[in-house]
Amino acid sequence: MPKCLVCKAQYEPFISFGKMPIANAFLTREQFDKEYFFELKAGFCSNCSMVQLVEQPSREMMFHENYAFFSSTSKFMALHFKEFSEAVIRSHLKSKNPFVIEIGSNDGIMLENFLKSGIRHLGIEPSGNVANIAVSKGISTITEFFDESLAKKIVKKYGQADAILAANVTCHIPYIHSVAAGVKALLKTGGVFIFEDPYLGDIIEKTSYDQIYDEHVFYFSVASVSYLFEQYGMEVVDVEPQDVHGGSMRYTIANKGAKEISMAVFKQREKEKKLGLHLAGTFDAFRKNVENSRNQLIQLLRNIKKQKKRVVGYAATSKSATVTNFCGITPDLVEFISDTTPIKQGKFSPGAHIQVLPYKEFTDNYPEYALLFAWNHREEIMAKEQNFIKSDGRWIVYVPSVHLFPLPKVGEV
Ligand code: SAH
Ligand code: TYD
Ligand code: ZN
């Protein structure tokens, strides 16, 4: 039995998706034979409530100078991080000449707001290509993996931080104890660590199983995050649910007793109990929902194929690697995936090998159906794809349930 990465207790995995590739490893035809696969399995530790991957590829295989996720591809996310930065400046940067650090700063989508406000900042971003974009914007960035030893080096060179920020990265790091110890060393006594990640409660409620892929090693809840930071003399002092990435949670962590604990923390912990996030049975029910979702989606795609209608995937997200490979969605069911990221275009999706083509290929020749792999950006996408709907196009959406949008005419599929 595997051991929990947080508390070392043994636990049973509750789901296996089978062999999976690296979700952001888009590849050329010549690379098909040497593609890397690992078994994607997740488990729940009943001792500390952490949900986690059993096995994760090495960090160097996922984060490198050809990393395919560029944060600034979504305008809504840019706005989200602008608001995030403004909230941090308002509430936590009142000292003279404050210092902000961001872990996983990618192309600088968050830190550019601090740069514009003239605030001393430092980004930590191991993927060289995206880090270089941030540097070219004038953002101070170190191209390294964050851990306790790097934190100590930063303290020596730059001093401690008033705020450490992290979005969609804390859940990526299996050596989470080193991260927590590093944060503790790097923060001023009265400082805050504010991070957000996809929230376990949303994943369970929406059956958004596509959040489970190689990079996401942890699926946090307030309960599991509290357990972890308590071991470092720290506590969760605030939580704020976020709409982004299909439902995320922003956690504010501070040294014990340094800040008042908001009522939102107690309320969210109550909600988690009602949702059963502390019970193994919840995850067995989730697995059944996942299997139903897969059966319905594949059935729908097969029906559409029988009718000889076209389906194009919309956005080659990391999440789509889990959906395509787990459901068996191959190029005979989905013609290509349209995506706006140049590095992905012309390549093939990991595992399923569906070709990724520029966005123009979608708009130039609308298919009857578009499979919305970026369901988390639904609002942004619906706003700009009115013409697809006007030309009688239908969206295939699978979160929170498999459905068509707009609703099909009677007898359509
Ligand atoms: N914060 C951005 C990027 C999220 S993607 C956003 O929310 O859009 C995750 C990023 O974390 C990648 O750019 C990856 O290279 C980086 N990363 C992975 N492991 C890391 C580590 N140990 N320390 C710092 N960054 C890391
Ligand atoms: P996201 O859901 O943020 O990705 P992930 O699952 O990897 O976290 O989606 C980012 C991808 O979606 C990126 O490849 C760009 C693509 N995309 C489009 O092609 N069009 C769009 O309108 C949006 C918002 C994203
Ligand atoms: Zn545990």
Side-chain angles (χ1 to χ4, degrees), residues 22 37-38 41 43 79 102 164 188 232 252 293 295 303 345 351-352 370 374 386:
I22 288 180
F37 287 91
F38 73 106
K41 272 189 293 193
L79 189 62
E102 190 191 2
I164 302 176
K188 289 185 185 164
Y232 295 85
T252 303
S293 173
N295 296 345
N303 287 346
Q345 295 164 355
Q386 288 304 313

Side-chain angles (χ1 to χ4, degrees), residues 292-352:
N292 284 338
S293 173
R294 169 181 63 182
N295 296 345
Q296 286 172 23
L297 181 59
I298 201 75
Q299 198 53 53
L300 175 63
L301 292 173
R302 285 188 186 138
N303 287 346
I304 293 173
K305 192 190 167 190
K306 262 193 217 144
Q307 298 182 4
K308 299 197 166 33
K309 290 183 179 160
R310 297 174 61 221
V311 181
V312 164
Y314 193 100
T317 57
S318 322
K319 296 182 288 293
S320 69
T322 298
V323 178
T324 53
N325 290 291
F326 177 62
C327 299
I329 300 174
T330 41
D332 63 319
L333 295 175
V334 171
E335 198 177 301
F336 66 88
I337 305 175
S338 149
D339 196 282
T340 53
T341 313
I343 199 176
K344 298 182 184 177
Q345 295 164 355
K347 300 226 176 89
F348 293 84
S349 72

Side-chain angles (χ1 to χ4, degrees), residues 4 7 45 48:
C4 174
C7 75
C45 172
C48 72

Side-chain angles (χ1 to χ4, degrees), residues 159-185:
Q160 286 174 313
D162 296 83
I164 302 176
L165 313 178
N168 308 302
V169 62
T170 314
C171 76
H172 291 48
I173 311 180
Y175 39 101
I176 190 81
H177 281 287
S178 181
V179 171
V183 161
K184 175 91 181 176

Side-chain angles (χ1 to χ4, degrees), residues 255-273:
N255 278 311
K256 236 185 182 116
K259 307 253 178 227
E260 204 179 313
I261 301 178
S262 143
M263 275 308 291
V265 177
F266 302 104
K267 284 192 185 148
Q268 198 63 39
R269 287 200 70 158
E270 281 309 308
K271 274 195 198 162
E272 291 184 352
K273 285 211 180 102

Side-chain angles (χ1 to χ4, degrees), residues 24 26 68-70 73-75 77 210-211 213 215-216 245 314-320 338-341 344 359 373-377 380-381 384-385:
N24 268 307
F26 293 85
F69 182 79
F70 292 70
T73 48
S74 163
K75 292 200 173 69
M77 289 310 292
D210 57 350
Q211 292 289 3
Y213 59 89
E215 290 183 17
H216 291 171
H245 285 301
Y314 193 100
T317 57
S318 322
K319 296 182 288 293
S320 69
S338 149
D339 196 282
T340 53
T341 313
K344 298 182 184 177
Y359 174 54
F373 287 129
W375 56 268
N376 48 310
H377 297 298
E380 176 173 3
I381 293 168
K384 70 178 179 198
E385 300 301 351

